[in-house]
Structures are given as structure tokens and as C-alpha cells.
Amino acid sequence: MSDPKRYWQPEAETASRDQITAWQSERLVSTVKRVYQNVAPYRDRMDAAGVRPEDIKSVDDIRKLPFTTKQDLRDFYPFGLFAVPMEQIARLHASSGTTGKQIVVGYTQNDLDIWGDIVARQLTAIGLSPRDKVHISYGFGLFTGGLGIFEGARRMGATIIPVSSGNTERQITILQDFEPACIACTPSYAMYIAETMEKMGVDAKKLPLRCGVFGAEPWTEEMRRQIEQKLDIKAYDIYGLTEIMGPGVAYECECQAGMHVNEDHFIIEVLDTETGLPVKDGEKGEIVFSCITKEAFPILRYRTKDIGAVTHEKCACGRTFVRMSKPMGRTDDMLIIRGVNVFPSQIETVLLKTGHSPNYQIEVDRVNNLDTIAVRVEMNEATFSDTVSEISQRERALAEAIKSLIGVAVKVILVSPGSIERSTGKAKRVIDHRKLH
Ligand code: ADP
Ligand code: ZN
């Protein structure tokens, strides 16, 4: 495990804790100065909180800074939190917000290079080299999955196969004929590929595929075992979110024992959800990230709403970055359906806009390893009908309207008025049968 080729940037990945703290302090101080100068909403927030840039002298002062939330990204949509002029922005990415409006982030060329480095750290850690081919089945587009892994594979010098998502049989032909060593996609899609291979009579053991990089949605250790066994590969976890960078904010090494946070670029805090105070190593809390090297979109103290824990314990791989657990749930109601963020409020918005009843329930399941989403909606005076053909036509129209907003196909079932159970407290809008945590 001391093979130097296993590190992409050994000076960072194996830096001493003192060195990491020194980098974090220096980079936080300069980022705070920069956003205070260049980004009006940060300046206003800090002024309102009575914090001056000079008050931030080291990483220990981070708690003086106000939080940033997804709501802020919506309020300053599209470019209000960018810290450089548009001519320096090399790329935009976006992710869904709660009401259909995307949240938008930007990267300078330097940001993209750093993104490439942090993803290359993982590809190298799991034994890949420029001689290998990397098959990317994450979607290419505004979603960060496809192009994020692309940046890493390119930086490392691997041969990239940018397949993007969909057409599973074609994916399998490519896995057979182009012979990639690694596949990157959501874990549920990896399972689906494995099952499709079984159906097609393709023997995964005969493929040269050695490993996979899977993330963008929650998955369990049980799923990891199944993917590893069915595809005859090693399956590694990768974590990220659009607001911070995309995939690669944290990455699993060959030890498969938690994800190393790229602490030279991001500061992680784990905060008690009630008190907002830091929790101890190993204890659960809300994960909060600050970007300390990003030029275009240096978000500070971003509340991810992911619940997780970190450990400072030494990892057998020799890396010194802290490791975070798999996310163990969320503090909000965001669902991740086939890698896409979906908020129940988005569906509610469509119901109301199209004259449907606001009495609804969303049922999420995983069938043959693909997430399914069904929306039961009560009929009201406007949408009531007793002819089957009219009902199914309305169901199809509503399903189409929901799909065009959230980007995921849903099944709509119109049910008779009053048939959805009423609650005396908070309505139970979502039933999730997937057991992912
Ligand atoms: P991405 O493009 O990386 O999926 P999004 O912004 O669309 O980014 O979604 C980010 C959210 O996806 C995270 O806040 C987290 O809830 C979830 N997520 C990302 N990676 C993982 C992972 N490896 N395991 C569990 N959840 C993950
Ligand atoms: Zn490690």
C-alpha cells in the first residue's frame, strides 16, 4: 500500500495534520477576503452578523461565519454568488432546486483542473493508470456526474469512454468490446447493468472490468457486496454535490473504509442538528462544507442537509485526510431518484398548477434495481370522472407534466376523493420502500 503510484498528489494526500490545518487557515482567510470584496450577498451577511474579514484569522474562526443554504442559491439565481466576472467562467453546471428552478454554479478553468485532480486522486487510489480505459455512464450535461468523472479521467490521462446514461444493452456491448478497466455510474445503475448482463447471458467474470466508482445517491454495504459479486469488480464510493464541486468532494481509497475528504480544498464540519455545535469524531450530525480554493463559486459553510460522521483515525492507505461516513439520511425531504434530486414540493407545485387536488402521496420503490416513483392524487371536482379512459388520459397528462418539471418519469394514479389517509400532524407525503440507510 505504500506504492507511490497509488497517490495522485502524495504531498497533499499524505500531508501532516499540522500542514493540512495550515493550508486550511491560510486558504480560508484569503477566500473570506475575496468573497467579502467580490460577492455582495456574502458582504451583506457578514456585515449583518458583525463579522469583518480580519476576524477570520484561522480555521478555528470558521464558526463566526454565517451559513449558506440552497435557498441562498435560489435567491441569488442565477449568478449572484459568483466571485469572478463571467468572462472567467469556463463552465456552468446546475442541479434541481425545490420548486423547479435549477441552482446554478460556475467554474473557472483552474477550478476545473482542481476538480480533475481530486477525481484523479480516487482513480489512482483504486489502482488505475493512464493505460486504463474509464467507461462513464453518468449522464453528461448540466448534472455534475458525467463531466466530473470525465475531468478526473482526463487529468490522469486515462482513455475516456463517454457513454453517458441509457441504452443498457449498448453499454454492455461497450464493456465487452472496448474493455474498460473501470465503470462510473450510480450504484443502482451498476446493479441494473449486472442484471441485464445476466439476462443477456453475458458472463461478467470474462470482462476485463476491475473496478467501479459509484455515487450520487445513497447505497448500502449490502448493495456493494452484490455489485462486487455480480460484476466481479471492486466497488468504490464517491461523494459530492453540485454546490461544492460535484463528485470527488470525498472519495474512497482502496481500503473501502469511509471517504477521504479533500481537505486541502474543502473544510468539513459536522454539526449537531439541534445546537449547531460541532460533534465529536464518529458522532452523527449535519455535514457543512466550505470551499477554500474555488475561484468562481467559493461557497462558505454550505449546509448540505446530509447527515454523516467523520473520523480522524489513521487509514491503512497512508492518506491523512479525514474520512466521512456514507450519508446516513437528510435533514430535509429531498429524495434521490435514479441520481436525480426530487423534492415533494416540486410535485405539489405541478398538481396545483394543473388544477389537481393537493391531497397526494408519493410512493418510492426500487424494482429490478431501478427507482420507481408513483404519485397518488385524489380527484377533485375539476378532475373527477367516472370513465376509465378519461381517468387514464388525465393520469398520463399529469405524469407528463410532472416529468417535464422533475426530469424523472413517474406513474400517476388518480384515486377517489377522500381516499388518501389524513394525518392529524404533518402529512406523510412520502413512503419510501427502498431502505437505503
Ligand atoms: P451529484 O451531481 O454529485 O449527484 P447533486 O447536487 O445532484 O450532486 O446531489 C448531491 C446529493 O447527492 C448529496 O447532497 C447527497 O445527498 C447525495 N450523494 C452524492 N453522493 C453520494 C454518495 N456517494 N452516497 C450517498 N449520497 C450521495
Ligand atoms: Zn484511505
Side-chain angles (χ1 to χ4, degrees), residues 8 116-117 120 123-124 128-134 149-160:
W8 176 246
D117 277 331
L123 301 180
T124 307
L128 295 166
S129 80
R131 288 185 302 282
D132 290 309
K133 303 186 198 89
V134 178
I149 305 295
F150 177 89
E151 289 298 338
R154 178 163 72 168
R155 194 86 171 150
M156 192 184 69
T159 304
I160 300 168

Side-chain angles (χ1 to χ4, degrees), residues 1 7 125 251-260 314-321 323:
M1 280 198 194
Y7 303 120
Y251 64 106
E252 227 174 31
C253 64
E254 67 268 34
C255 302
Q256 297 181 310
M259 295 179 276
H260 289 285
K314 245 177 122 171
C315 183
C317 73
R319 284 178 187 75
T320 44
F321 293 151
R323 281 169 291 155

Side-chain angles (χ1 to χ4, degrees), residues 31 35 42 68-69 73 81 243-244 289-292 294 297-302:
T31 303
V35 296
Y42 277 106
T68 315
T69 64
L73 273 80
L81 294 175
E243 294 86 330
I244 302 304
F289 277 110
S290 299
C291 296
I292 48 172
K294 248 170 123 196
F297 197 80
I299 198 165
L300 292 174
R301 298 200 90 200
Y302 182 70

Side-chain angles (χ1 to χ4, degrees), residues 61-80:
D61 294 321
I62 196 166
R63 280 167 49 199
K64 296 180 181 159
L65 292 167
F67 290 115
T68 315
T69 64
K70 219 187 237 312
Q71 185 61 42
D72 295 318
L73 273 80
R74 272 182 246 131
D75 290 348
F76 300 103
Y77 173 88
F79 308 133

Side-chain angles (χ1 to χ4, degrees), residues 95 143-145 214-219 237-243 246-247 259 304 306 327 330 334 336 339 341:
S95 166
F143 169 60
T144 55
F214 306 120
E217 64 180 11
W219 55 313
D237 206 352
I238 183 167
Y239 170 89
L241 61 166
T242 310
E243 294 86 330
M259 295 179 276
T304 64
D306 286 322
R330 294 196 41 97
M334 186 176 94
I336 303 181
N341 302 347

